[in-house]
Amino acid sequence: MAHTAVPSAETRHKSVAEPGHESVAEISQNSAAHSQNGAKAAGAPVSFLPAAPEKLIEIYRLMFLSRRTDDREIILKNQQKVFFQISGAGHEALLVTAGLALRPGYDWFFPYYRDRGLSLALGTTPEEHFLQSVGAATDTASGGRQMPSHWTSPQLHIVTPSSSTATQCLQAVGCAEAALYLAEHPEAAAQREGDYSQFHAVDFHGDEVVYVSIGEGSTSQGEFWEAISIASNRKLPVLFVVEDNGYAISVPVEVNTPGGNISPLLANFPNFHFEEVDGTDPIACLHAFDAAVAHCRARKGPALVHGHVTRPYAHSLSDDAKLYRPESERHDEALRDPVQKFQAYLLREGILDAAGIAQLEKQVDEEVRVAAERALHAPLPSTQPSAILRHQYSEDYDPTRASLATEPVSSGPDRTMADLINACLHDEMRRDPRIVVFGEDVADCSREEYLEQKQVKGKGGVFKLTAGLQCEFGSSRVFNSSLAEAAIVGRSVGMAVRGLKPVAEIQFFDYIWPAMHQLRNELSLIRWRSNGGFAAPAVIRVPIGGYLTGGAIYHSQSGEVLFTHTPGIRVVFPSNALDANGLLRTALRCDDPVLFFEHKRLYRETWGRAPYPGPDYMIPFGKARTAREGKDLTVITYGALVPRALQAAQRAARELNVETEVIDLRSLNPYDWEAIATSVAKTNKVIVAHEDMLSWGYGAEIAARIGEELFDSLDAPVRRVAALDTFVAYQPVLEDVILPQPEKIYQAIADLAKY
Ligand SMILES: Cc1ncc(C[n+]2csc(CCOP(=O)(O)OP(=O)(O)O)c2C)c(N)n1
Ligand SMILES: [Mg+2]
């Protein structure tokens, strides 16, 4: 069987060739000299062996290195020198052979916490593993932010993982989509000065494979099935590896998986190559991975290798398997231990003799001992808050800098917010070939022939915000996603990590929740948790809000505060056409992930229309707009409450002779504290108004900070105007009472004016 070309063991593991270390070839030679078994001795012609003896010895060395690294980490944990341990024990044969079948720094990797063997086979070092165990400043994966066993290496293309089971599957799908996209659009690799692409070189080869692994228990997650389904449907070069150790912590496989075996359940997905193997047998695994990788490289579709492995060390060091697995079961499993079995195989086949094994193991033990020792003396991370907060956002591109602001080059008639968002998308897609637009219903028409034959006009979004994009830029750049919100955001993460600029749409804010995991635990965290190693500057556009008359519970929700409470993601919420255009352009050019809220009620409002401002109009994030000047009182607000606050302010001027200043925040994270402070210092009275519910709302933070920092400027208590603490009801008379109306803002102004 032809082996995929992989960097040699020596290139991946320089330590092997260091002085005092024998190379695998030397161990093989030495062992042959000792061997009594001439015919099968290493160095002799061994055409009946499944692979070159050096390769088999290297597999054993890596398996043993993986096991010993775990063993050493367990000792360190017991000595309280490290703080967590989860092992790859029992998974080594499957993972090492996976690593050797793939190309580090060429293919892409989305592993999970059992993949020590893969990580070592790809070229990470035991010292790097221990630096993560101790949480060192020099931990190359995360600088002390992530637990051990969260392998990460930009150089090797090992993408920063979280601890969430299954989220990695959708990211791998996005990464594979990027591979196909870049092969079709090589011009997208170009870098431009002055936007995010300047800082993200893109590499692609046309036949790279994306590896993702998962435990058998975690295949119960919906995100796994979404990933399988999309990879199958789009024929993506994703190599899925299911590491089936029979347990998810204490839950046996038959509880998670109908029939107790995932393979037959998957068998009908089209375009896949499936392999089910004894994952404790490296020879069987080698064959399985060779076939699976070849299928992916040839762009025939995805592959899945289901390996049956063991779990000798319980789930983690915090788990005691004796509580739920009887002695007999653990004993039977021990007989399948991959390291012991493969050692016996090498001896039996005469590939290594006892002295050769001893020499190899001694060398590995020494390597592990030295690596651990060095890590224990590594510097700890800085505890300065500024250092802790580093890499939450891009250090290369500051989307708040004042110099981004441009003057509109206005021309033509007033246009709606919907028009100017659509115009911005057209402009930026023309400028930036890395932009890919997708989501539910965003395409003009998935069945292209209907468009080509001019049988249909095309849809372009339920609110028509993306209308005409597919017609202008083609179906590889603008396409409908499957109806799966976690997948929309997870794929965005994977594409953005590869250097694309995904612009995804969540159809209604009310349905963002399936994507919450990907937004909260993934998109916003990629840069910080990898200590700046990876970034995912995707833009997620989300129609939001009520005042729709009949929108009811599931088409009227707000909840932006849940995302302003998530570090790492920019949150933008324009109130009018011009701001929407300028802020969206900043979002598309910047280097951070952005959640771009578009108020549905404002899409086509007469208020807030503006002429098209030109293809380079930008507004920096974190700069509020004074929507109305006033000297007596300030209303701080955003979104649909801007026009409502303006109505209330006009009435207050007319009826009460009170001049109200209205500050439109425009972006909620970051927000313009300076503008708030300046206005409050001038008016000494302040109302914070928003559409979302009152309690725990966005206004609570602003009001608290005003109380803390601007107390001396206040002539009256800070007031908040917001929705009732409930969802928006269907019947308009109920909606009118639940959501804050201009009348309510007016009453608050009137009350405050009395002070
Ligand atoms: C989304 C999510 N839910 C729960 C957990 C807690 N958890 C961590 S590992 C694990 C079991 C995973 O079992 P399996 O997928 O079989 O992998 P294994 O640990 O056996 O290799 C659970 C429940 C988590 N990390 N993420
Ligand atoms: Mg398991």
Side-chain angles (χ1 to χ4, degrees):
M1 174 165 305
H3 279 279
T4 317
V6 292
S8 71
E10 279 71 18
T11 23
R12 291 179 186 212
H13 282 274
K14 296 205 179 59
S15 59
V16 178
E18 279 170 9
H21 285 271
E22 263 62 57
S23 70
V24 164
E26 282 166 330
I27 291 175
S28 164
Q29 291 293 334
N30 293 345
S31 186
H34 296 295
S35 174
Q36 301 304 307
N37 186 348
K40 291 179 178 177
V46 279
S47 55
F48 49 87
L49 286 178
E54 288 78 11
K55 180 158 184 177
L56 297 173
I57 295 169
E58 175 61 0
I59 291 171
Y60 180 69
R61 193 188 72 78
L62 287 165
M63 288 171 61
F64 190 72
L65 180 64
S66 179
R67 181 67 62 92
R68 287 307 231 206
T69 306
D70 271 322
D71 290 342
R72 175 65 61 160
E73 199 177 61
I74 288 167
I75 293 170
L76 296 177
K77 170 73 173 75
N78 288 334
Q79 294 171 338
Q80 296 180 1
K81 291 180 177 163
V82 308
F83 318 100
F84 183 74
Q85 212 286 327
I86 193 155
S87 89
H91 293 226
E92 295 97 341
L94 187 70
L95 275 301
V96 165
T97 51
L100 294 180
L102 293 159
R103 305 181 196 175
Y106 185 102
D107 296 318
W108 287 78
F109 302 89
F110 291 80
Y112 88 117
Y113 50 81
R114 299 269 183 230
D115 290 15
R116 195 186 294 284
L118 174 100
S119 182
L120 290 168
L122 293 178
T124 63
T125 63
E127 185 174 338
E128 288 174 312
H129 292 212
F130 291 126
L131 287 170
Q132 199 171 33
S133 323
V134 301
T138 46
D139 155 31
T140 50
S142 77
R145 291 167 179 185
Q146 289 253 58
M147 288 175 150
S149 297
H150 287 60
W151 334 106
T152 304
S153 166
Q155 193 197 355
L156 301 173
H157 290 176
I158 306 176
V159 180
T160 169
S162 71
S163 307
S164 312
T165 59
T167 49
Q168 71 273 24
C169 297
L170 291 167
Q171 296 164 13
V173 162
C175 184
E177 290 179 293
L180 298 190
Y181 181 81
L182 289 164
E184 194 181 336
H185 296 274
E187 72 281 6
Q191 292 176 271
R192 285 168 308 276
E193 287 228 347
D195 72 23
Y196 73 95
S197 69
Q198 185 180 344
F199 314 105
H200 298 284
V202 158
D203 72 70
F204 63 100
H205 306 281
D207 70 345
E208 68 268 41
V209 174
V210 181
Y211 164 100
V212 64
S213 59
I214 186 166
E216 90 295 335
S218 304
T219 63
S220 292
Q221 294 279 2
E223 296 195 31
F224 170 76
W225 292 96
E226 289 176 23
I228 292 283
S229 163
I230 297 163
S232 165
N233 214 5
R234 302 202 87 196
K235 283 180 82 170
L236 300 174
V238 183
L239 169 60
F240 293 87
V241 177
V242 176
E243 300 172 35
D244 187 346
N245 56 23
Y247 276 89
I249 309 185
S250 68
V251 182
V253 60
E254 68 276 13
V255 175
N256 268 300
T257 307
N261 186 344
I262 191 82
S263 275
L265 306 182
L266 290 163
N268 281 338
F269 278 94
N271 303 319
F272 258 96
H273 176 90
F274 291 107
E275 296 274 350
E276 184 177 3
V277 283
D278 176 357
T280 65
D281 175 359
I283 311 290
C285 295
L286 269 182
H287 292 317
F289 282 120
D290 276 346
V293 170
H295 181 82
C296 295
R297 282 213 201 286
R299 298 297 184 252
K300 292 182 181 162
L304 185 140
V305 176
H306 173 196
H308 293 276
V309 296
T310 66
R311 201 195 65 176
Y313 292 174
H315 174 72
S316 71
L317 226 57
S318 318
D319 175 41
D320 179 3
K322 293 194 198 92
L323 296 175
Y324 52 87
R325 297 184 80 180
E327 160 66 21
S328 56
E329 188 180 299
R330 287 181 285 118
H331 176 264
D332 289 350
E333 190 188 68
L335 299 177
R336 293 175 54 227
D337 183 83
V339 177
Q340 286 174 23
K341 276 198 318 177
F342 200 47
Q343 186 196 91
Y345 169 87
L346 294 179
L347 287 167
R348 198 169 60 240
E349 295 296 320
I351 296 162
L352 279 182
D353 58 14
I357 296 276
Q359 184 191 0
L360 181 151
E361 294 188 348
K362 189 167 162 245
Q363 194 170 297
V364 165
D365 278 342
E366 182 60 8
E367 182 183 351
V368 168
R369 190 192 64 75
V370 170
E373 201 54 38
R374 287 166 68 118
L376 287 172
H377 292 98
L380 294 184
S382 164
T383 54
Q384 289 295 322
S386 61
I388 293 170
L389 296 177
R390 210 175 152 208
H391 295 307
Q392 208 135 65
Y393 300 100
S394 172
E395 291 186 343
D396 297 317
Y397 187 102
D398 176 10
T400 71
R401 64 184 188 275
S403 60
L404 283 184
T406 45
E407 283 302 310
V409 191
S410 302
S411 63
D414 279 354
R415 294 169 67 184
T416 63
M417 183 195 269
D419 285 343
L420 289 194
I421 288 173
N422 181 269
C424 179
L425 290 169
H426 274 276
D427 288 344
E428 290 301 302
M429 287 194 79
R430 261 171 230 144
R431 197 188 69 85
D432 181 359
R434 294 191 184 190
I435 294 181
V436 181
V437 169
F438 66 103
E440 293 156 15
D441 298 285
V442 303
D444 290 318
C445 183
S446 284
R447 293 180 176 163
E448 290 172 326
E449 63 274 19
Y450 297 159
L451 287 172
E452 282 157 14
Q453 295 156 6
K454 302 215 180 330
Q455 287 177 283
V456 299
K457 188 164 160 268
K459 186 168 174 75
V462 292
F463 297 103
K464 302 212 166 25
L465 272 277
T466 50
L469 293 176
Q470 182 197 355
C471 288
E472 180 169 346
F473 300 105
S475 303
S476 60
R477 297 192 65 193
V478 183
F479 52 90
N480 287 325
S481 68
S482 45
L483 207 171
E485 285 76 10
I488 292 172
V489 179
R491 290 162 77 179
S492 300
V493 172
M495 290 180 199
V497 156
R498 281 296 292 274
L500 296 188
K501 176 64 88 173
V503 182
E505 179 178 301
I506 297 289
Q507 197 163 74
F508 294 88
F509 180 84
D510 315 69
Y511 307 120
I512 202 168
W513 314 118
M516 193 63 185
H517 209 160
Q518 289 285 352
L519 287 163
R520 166 88 188 178
N521 276 351
E522 307 293 334
L523 182 67
S524 54
L525 259 160
I526 296 285
R527 193 188 291 273
W528 188 81
R529 78 182 182 210
S530 64
N531 205 14
F534 287 95
V539 175
I540 314 292
R541 296 180 35 251
V542 193
I544 191 170
Y547 301 106
L548 303 176
T549 311
I553 303 166
Y554 299 104
H555 298 85
S556 305
Q557 289 180 30
S558 298
E560 57 279 5
V561 71
L562 294 165
F563 299 97
T564 55
H565 197 61
T566 299
I569 193 162
R570 308 284 190 181
V571 181
V572 182
F573 202 149
S575 72
N576 60 80
L578 196 61
D579 286 355
N581 184 282
L583 290 166
L584 181 58
R585 190 165 283 102
T586 306
L588 295 171
R589 294 187 187 183
C590 90
D591 197 21
D592 295 316
V594 179
L595 207 44
F596 195 84
F597 289 127
E598 301 167 4
H599 201 290
K600 302 185 288 278
R601 180 60 206 258
L602 299 177
Y603 270 152
R604 293 183 169 81
E605 201 101 298
T606 309
W607 179 85
R609 293 185 184 193
Y612 169 66
D616 285 309
Y617 180 61
M618 290 176 78
I619 298 172
F621 292 165
K623 298 284 178 285
R625 183 180 68 96
T626 304
R628 184 183 200 278
E629 302 257 6
K631 59 177 176 36
D632 300 323
L633 193 148
T634 302
V635 177
I636 296 159
T637 189
Y638 54 90
L641 282 215
V642 174
R644 284 159 184 77
L646 287 172
Q647 274 183 43
Q650 280 158 13
R651 184 174 160 204
R654 223 172 32 240
E655 296 179 7
L656 308 172
N657 202 24
V658 171
E659 286 305 329
T660 304
E661 184 145 293
V662 177
I663 303 282
D664 177 357
L665 288 176
R666 308 200 284 192
S667 54
L668 306 184
N669 178 31
Y671 66 94
D672 192 343
W673 176 246
E674 210 179 296
I676 294 171
T678 306
S679 184
V680 173
K682 177 167 77 171
T683 64
N684 312 117
K685 294 173 189 169
V686 59
I687 295 166
V688 190
H690 55 69
E691 176 180 339
D692 200 3
M693 295 171 231
L694 181 79
S695 301
W696 328 108
Y698 189 77
E701 170 64 20
I702 303 294
R705 190 163 171 198
I706 292 171
E708 244 175 67
E709 295 183 33
L710 305 177
F711 184 69
D712 291 342
S713 298
L714 292 175
D715 285 347
V718 182
R719 284 288 300 264
R720 286 177 295 155
V721 174
L724 290 183
D725 286 339
T726 188
F727 290 85
V728 177
Y730 171 68
Q731 167 54 242
V733 297
L734 299 177
E735 179 178 30
D736 282 352
V737 175
I738 291 166
L739 291 181
Q741 306 299 333
E743 169 69 23
K744 202 166 171 181
I745 305 172
Y746 172 82
Q747 284 307 332
I749 294 173
D751 285 353
L752 271 197
K754 289 181 195 144
Y755 281 89

